[in-house]
């Protein structure tokens, strides 16, 4: 029982950290049609939304925009997407760890 709890705790840690850092590695190609007041980042679903106050020049398009400073731009977490992705990641990691454990026992 203790080992299963340990695997579950490891899965939760990996799932939360893994999903929480995805906006740092995501970017969006901004065109003239893009709504900068709803700048969404996260992989594979957006988990944060930023209201940016950028006013790019007309000849600046298209450009790539990633995470901007949360201190200067209002940022909110999209909790539904975040919780869904964390649960999916935790279940996936837990299944992988249990499979590795079973395979390891069969080899020994």
């Amino acid at each position: 029982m203790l080992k299963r709890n340990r695997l579950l705790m490891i899965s939760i840690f990996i799932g939360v950290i893994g999903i929480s850092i995805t906006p740092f590695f995501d970017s969006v190609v901004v065109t003239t049609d893009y709504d900068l007041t709803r700048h969404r980042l996260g992989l594979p679903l957006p988990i944060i939304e930023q209201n940016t106050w950028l006013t790019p020049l007309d000849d600046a398009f298209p450009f790539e925009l990633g995470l901007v400073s949360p201190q200067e731009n209002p940022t909110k977490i999209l909790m539904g997407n975040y919780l869904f992705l964390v649960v999916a990641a935790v279940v996936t990691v837990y299944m992988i760890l249990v499979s590795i454990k079973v395979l390891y026992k069969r080899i020994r």
Side-chain angles (χ1 to χ4, degrees):
M1 184 70 175
L2 182 62
K3 294 198 182 226
R4 283 188 183 174
N5 286 340
R6 189 179 315 158
L7 288 180
L8 182 60
M9 295 307 288
I10 291 169
S11 301
I12 291 171
F13 178 77
I14 291 172
V16 168
I17 297 299
I19 296 302
S20 297
I21 65 172
T22 61
F24 293 106
F25 301 105
D26 191 16
S27 63
V28 177
V29 175
V30 176
T31 61
T32 53
D33 300 337
Y34 188 77
D35 184 8
L36 284 171
T37 61
R38 296 189 67 218
H39 179 54
R40 294 176 153 210
L41 296 170
L43 296 171
L45 296 173
I47 61 170
I48 65 166
E49 180 177 279
Q50 292 187 307
N51 296 329
T52 62
W53 306 108
L54 299 173
T55 52
L57 300 173
D58 289 334
D59 61 346
F61 295 104
F63 65 93
E64 196 169 320
L65 183 61
L67 187 67
V68 291
S69 173
Q71 291 89 0
E72 298 173 5
N73 301 284
T75 303
K76 71 177 182 177
I77 297 176
L78 304 172
M79 281 308 264
N81 289 355
Y82 181 75
L83 291 176
F84 173 75
L85 289 175
V86 166
V87 169
V90 167
V91 168
T92 302
V93 171
Y94 183 75
M95 288 174 35
I96 290 170
L97 292 177
V98 169
S99 299
I100 290 171
K101 181 180 171 186
V102 168
L103 287 174
Y104 179 73
K105 284 186 177 182
R106 283 188 183 176
I107 292 173
R108 289 179 59 195

